[in-house]
Amino acid sequence: MTACWHAPLVAACLLALAPAGASEVVPLQVSGDAIGQPLHGLSGDAARGALVVRNRETGNCLICHAIPDRTERFQGEIGPPLAGVGLRLTEGQIRLRLVDPTQVNPGAIMPAYHRVSGLTNVDARHAGRPVLGAQEIEDVVAYLASLKE
Amino acid sequence: MRAGAALLACCWAATAFAGEVRAPRAFLSPELQALQDDPARHPGWLWVEQGEALWRAAPPDPGKQTCAGCHGDITGMSGVAARYPSVASDGALLNLELRIERCRTEQQGASAFGDESEALLSLTAAIAARSRGQPVNVRIDGPAAARLAEGRRLYSLRQGQLNLSCQQCHEENVGKRLRGDIISHGVGTGYPAYRLEWNGLGSLHRRLRACSLGVRAVQAPFASPDYLALELFLADKARGLAVEAPGIRR
């Protein structure tokens, strides 16, 4: 391991020691219609999750969903509104629906945000990578679970 | 009895609506509709006028004819764009752009204008504009049938990191809001179109490449077999709708 701290291997070592990054997918542990445990045991941050939900380059959730925030002028209506989702679903149920909604509904139009298999014709820049990393998933879970009304 | 008849009429209306493909123009704001309808204000007419000049311009080889030399005045192109894409005598599926490039290289002995070049977009727009208002009527029999089937397959294929098919948005969620946009039926009757996002004129294949990028799928090249098959499928879907090219699009 000492060699590990020689440049330019430092970055690789840090990656290996860090929790799953954007390019890694956590093995699924589904029970019923939920993933009960946080991915990699990470804890989510609702404030960071709120940013991922709005970010057009990462989550971009508002292209299809609406959140209870009147300052967001253009919100989507393809998926159900997210107001009160924290009352309707448990954290584990939200987690599975983000990771891979087709596990709940095989015909779901919503993309799987943390799955890399079973996809067709993926652009090379995104191949082998999930849309959201494990930490981002946990942050969005925390945010959505906080939407109680 | 009257209630039964009313119910039947309701069902007919609902069925007709479900199968109806509305013109892309219907999804534009009144302001953009007015812009599309008024050549004096429509920025795409800069390309139309350039294309009409090219129609009459001498090719590089002085021994060869201009477009007008063979085809006559461009007014004679009325209705042509409504029949494209179309299978040529050698079996190749050609859209209007490829048909122009063939004429250019085979009849005029010149080098091709090139995909998405201003000259090719201009000539395409000038010819397509002569079919404005005429109903799309592409052939889908004979050799076109297999390409149409391929287009239909691609249309319903979930693709890219976001795992979306054309159909999921442009059939199953038409009329719904995608951020600030309303999802249309996705037909290409306005192309080449002046798109505000581009600040310029672009082809249907440029638009399809943007769709591929949007779902994070591999972008096929211009004039690729996949996009040509999709173009034919979209033209068949638009059968009977008026050609809007050059359209105004957001």
Side-chain angles (χ1 to χ4, degrees):
Chain A
M1 281 301 284
T2 348
C4 224
W5 300 106
H6 289 292
L9 293 172
V10 173
C13 286
L14 290 175
L15 275 179
L17 296 169
S23 61
E24 290 177 41
V25 169
V26 175
L28 274 189
Q29 295 190 321
V30 181
S31 51
D33 73 334
I35 301 175
Q37 297 306 310
L39 306 183
H40 266 286
L42 294 164
S43 57
D45 179 289
R48 279 200 312 251
L51 297 178
V52 173
V53 163
R54 290 169 169 82
N55 188 326
R56 290 170 191 248
E57 303 299 318
T58 58
N60 201 20
C61 307
L62 303 190
I63 195 169
C64 291
H65 295 276
I67 54 171
D69 177 354
R70 290 186 183 179
T71 66
E72 285 287 346
R73 262 188 78 213
F74 296 115
Q75 305 196 34
E77 55 182 24
I78 310 298
L82 298 174
V85 68
L87 288 176
R88 297 191 295 273
L89 300 173
T90 65
E91 287 198 7
Q93 288 173 319
I94 293 171
R95 187 175 291 110
L96 178 59
R97 284 155 179 76
L98 292 175
V99 165
D100 186 2
T102 63
Q103 302 259 334
V104 182
N105 168 16
I109 184 173
M110 179 174 154
Y113 281 84
H114 198 70
R115 187 187 91 194
V116 295
S117 61
L119 302 174
T120 303
N121 208 18
V122 179
D123 181 285
R125 285 165 289 188
H126 302 287
R129 294 166 172 270
V131 183
L132 297 179
Q135 183 63 62
E136 290 171 308
I137 292 284
E138 290 307 323
D139 292 342
V140 175
V141 168
Y143 169 68
L144 294 178
S146 76
L147 298 180
K148 303 266 192 201
E149 54 185 71
Chain B
M1 185 59 199
R2 275 172 62 188
L7 185 66
L8 198 59
C10 271
C11 289
W12 275 339
T15 313
F17 188 75
E20 183 195 14
V21 175
R22 276 170 291 158
R25 188 181 181 283
F27 292 86
L28 297 176
S29 65
E31 293 76 21
L32 291 183
Q33 287 182 355
L35 190 60
Q36 175 168 294
D37 294 345
D38 182 1
R41 292 199 299 132
H42 190 321
W45 244 262
L46 296 171
W47 281 263
V48 171
E49 284 162 15
Q50 181 64 28
E52 290 181 349
L54 284 168
W55 183 262
R56 299 181 301 264
D61 180 345
K64 303 288 188 184
Q65 295 276 5
T66 64
C67 304
C70 286
H71 295 282
D73 189 83
I74 196 167
T75 53
M77 290 289 105
S78 172
V80 170
R83 299 193 291 270
Y84 274 78
S86 168
V87 177
S89 53
D90 67 347
L93 180 63
L94 303 181
N95 59 8
L96 198 51
E97 288 89 338
L98 287 173
R99 178 69 262 177
I100 292 167
E101 291 285 48
R102 268 206 182 184
C103 246
R104 172 104 178 138
T105 55
E106 293 180 3
Q107 307 302 325
Q108 294 186 322
S111 55
F113 289 119
D115 295 327
E116 217 60 16
S117 60
E118 292 297 317
L120 181 58
L121 287 168
S122 297
L123 256 179
T124 308
I127 293 168
R130 294 292 161 179
S131 298
R132 262 197 153 195
Q134 299 189 38
V136 173
N137 186 22
V138 287
R139 286 192 66 167
I140 53 169
D141 58 345
R147 302 306 305 281
L148 179 72
E150 176 62 4
R152 180 176 291 116
R153 185 188 73 81
L154 291 165
Y155 189 75
S156 60
L157 178 69
R158 295 189 77 155
Q159 292 190 61
Q161 189 193 40
L162 299 184
N163 202 28
L164 290 166
S165 70
C166 316
Q167 177 179 311
Q168 286 179 299
C169 283
H170 296 290
E171 300 276 338
E172 296 163 20
N173 283 287
V174 174
K176 291 189 188 167
R177 205 167 272 283
L178 199 66
R179 286 269 194 188
D181 270 343
I182 304 285
I183 300 181
S184 76
H185 287 277
V187 292
T189 49
Y191 285 84
Y194 186 93
R195 211 166 160 231
L196 304 181
E197 187 182 323
W198 295 335
N199 269 321
L201 201 80
S203 69
L204 179 65
H205 289 205
R206 182 173 174 193
R207 184 66 188 84
L208 293 177
R209 281 171 58 82
C211 289
S212 295
L213 186 72
V215 301
R216 302 183 174 181
V218 175
Q219 290 177 292
F222 290 101
S224 66
D226 281 3
Y227 287 158
L228 285 168
L230 264 178
E231 184 172 356
L232 179 62
F233 175 81
L234 293 177
D236 182 49
K237 181 177 170 177
R239 181 174 302 282
L241 291 181
V243 172
E244 296 181 18
I248 293 282
R249 296 292 178 266
R250 284 189 301 270

